[in-house]
Amino acid sequence: MRRISRITVAGAATASLALALSACGGTSTSASSSESKGGNKGLAIAYDVGGKGDQSFNDAAYAGLEQAKKEFQYDTADVEPTEGETDADKEQRLVSLAKQGYNPVIGVGYAYATAVKGAAEKFPDTTFGIVDDSTVESKNVADLVFSEEEASYLAGVAAAKSTKTNTVGFVGGVDIPLIHKFQAGYEQGVKDTNPKVKVLSQYLTQTAEEGGFASPDKGKSAAEGQIEKKADVVYAAAGLSGQGVIEAAAANKVWAIGVDSDQYKQEALAKYKDSILTSAMKDVAKAVYNLAKSVEDGKPETGIVRGDLKTGEVGLSNSNPKFADDTELQDAIKTAKEKIISGEIKVKSS
């Protein structure tokens, strides 16, 4: 499988894309498209569980779509998931988008692996992308993956330097290998920074179908349980459920660490932002935009395309002034980042 760096197609991509999206849920399967100069069809995305308005993973993908739509002046589509859908349902959604002429077509989330593989075989001249999965081996598929454990390690450093109780928490949405990467990096970052700090870790569900990525109430309950056990920094890697973790942290006047997007800046979380210390980000927006740009340039990305600390596509947000202005904390994070990039620190992914 050909491996390429996103740097080769970064071009005019901005280092970060602002998200100014109002929360919206629902299970609509209708595509929304924009008016364009020529009526040509470009990027289409199919959302993961939680849909648009999760203030996290899916909204980051939408921001990448909006950037491509603005720059390339073409029609785009974004399609919501449905409750209890099968792989066949997902594949039909991608096939429908490809049949309509959209290119590239991206499945947002590892759950699209089987669907992307099937759709790519049916439409070999269309470029497909999948976010957070590296198992689809096809000449017309780009596996858009990230070193989430590296950003999570830095989140662990931040947590260990910020805790006053020597107890911090981790809330994972679903007990799967992808989320294990967040937990492993976070716990290692905490322990390497201060071995005396205890990490309380919990998963909301065993499967995505049980709502682990889409249930703020479950996130809130888990965070409250950890806070009762003295955790004063709680990191959530739980999609929409993370909103409940942030709400619980704000209510109990402890720190929350957001995920995937800069959650301090998100409109739907504005009333909790003073409790969001930082966010462990992965630039899904840039990955989505870059794939669209590579197709537009006639050189489609294929194979595994990885974003990490070295490429600048994972890292911590600096939006909260209390975080950004803490010199000791920033120095510790900078040192850890340099050691990870140089290879001196090997971050665990499980």
Side-chain angles (χ1 to χ4, degrees):
M1 198 187 314
R2 185 159 65 94
R3 294 172 183 266
I4 60 176
S5 167
R6 289 202 190 98
I7 293 175
T8 62
V9 292
T14 51
S16 61
L17 297 168
L19 300 179
L21 306 169
S22 57
C24 59
T27 57
S28 167
T29 56
S30 62
S32 61
S33 63
S34 67
E35 293 298 322
S36 72
K37 289 178 179 175
N40 62 316
K41 291 182 177 179
L43 172 62
I45 61 175
Y47 293 116
D48 199 4
V49 290
K52 187 162 71 173
D54 67 350
Q55 308 299 314
S56 182
F57 184 68
N58 288 300
D59 281 356
Y62 179 73
L65 178 141
E66 286 287 274
Q67 175 76 2
K69 180 170 69 176
K70 180 180 178 183
E71 183 163 332
F72 306 130
Q73 294 292 300
Y74 55 28
D75 286 346
T76 59
D78 59 310
V79 190
E80 295 284 354
T82 58
E83 214 169 310
E85 66 186 19
T86 63
D87 286 338
D89 295 328
K90 290 185 175 70
E91 183 175 332
Q92 182 53 43
R93 181 177 302 130
L94 301 180
V95 163
S96 175
L97 291 167
K99 193 178 289 184
Q100 291 173 61
Y102 290 102
N103 186 23
V105 176
I106 300 177
V108 182
Y110 69 91
Y112 275 96
T114 300
V116 166
K117 184 177 181 181
E121 288 172 358
K122 292 182 173 73
F123 290 85
D125 295 329
T126 299
T127 296
F128 290 83
I130 180 166
V131 181
D132 279 353
D133 183 87
S134 60
T135 66
V136 185
E137 298 186 24
S138 177
K139 63 182 181 181
N140 60 324
V141 175
D143 297 317
L144 309 175
V145 295
F146 300 85
S147 297
E148 295 95 347
E149 69 277 10
E150 294 181 353
S152 296
Y153 183 101
L154 300 183
V157 174
K161 297 293 285 185
S162 300
T163 180
K164 294 189 169 39
T165 63
N166 275 358
T167 303
V168 301
F170 171 81
V171 176
V174 180
D175 192 357
I176 54 172
L178 172 64
I179 307 303
H180 296 167
K181 291 169 69 179
F182 290 88
Q183 179 188 0
Y186 180 68
E187 291 182 347
Q188 185 182 349
V190 170
K191 293 299 182 183
D192 283 358
T193 305
N194 186 349
K196 295 179 181 178
V197 177
K198 182 179 181 181
V199 183
L200 307 175
S201 294
Q202 179 179 346
Y203 285 90
L204 301 180
T205 63
Q206 293 300 304
T207 66
E209 290 74 22
E210 295 171 279
F213 291 132
S215 305
D217 58 327
K218 293 182 190 295
K220 182 178 180 182
S221 178
E224 288 172 341
Q226 293 183 346
I227 292 165
E228 284 178 11
K229 295 176 182 176
K230 305 301 182 187
D232 60 352
V233 185
V234 185
Y235 173 39
L240 185 64
S241 300
Q243 292 191 26
V245 173
I246 291 169
E247 183 183 347
N252 289 277
K253 294 181 169 49
V254 302
W255 286 120
I257 296 177
V259 76
D260 291 343
S261 300
D262 185 355
Q263 297 197 295
Y264 182 90
K265 289 184 174 180
Q266 307 241 316
E267 191 175 319
L269 300 172
K271 61 183 175 182
Y272 309 126
K273 71 177 187 177
D274 289 341
S275 296
I276 302 173
L277 179 66
T278 182
S279 296
M281 300 190 298
K282 60 183 183 184
D283 207 340
V284 175
K286 186 175 179 181
V288 167
Y289 166 84
N290 280 350
L291 181 57
K293 186 177 189 302
S294 75
V295 172
E296 191 73 4
D297 290 345
K299 299 177 181 178
E301 291 181 319
T302 60
I304 294 177
V305 188
R306 181 176 299 279
D308 55 19
L309 277 180
K310 191 171 184 177
T311 68
E313 290 171 64
V314 304
L316 295 186
S317 63
N318 268 328
S319 298
N320 189 330
K322 290 184 179 177
F323 175 76
D325 297 340
D326 187 327
T327 304
E328 183 183 343
L329 179 53
Q330 291 297 323
D331 286 347
I333 291 167
K334 181 183 177 184
T335 298
K337 180 178 178 180
E338 289 171 349
K339 288 182 177 180
I340 292 170
I341 291 173
S342 72
E344 184 177 342
I345 293 177
K346 306 288 187 185
V347 184
K348 299 174 185 175
S349 58
S350 63

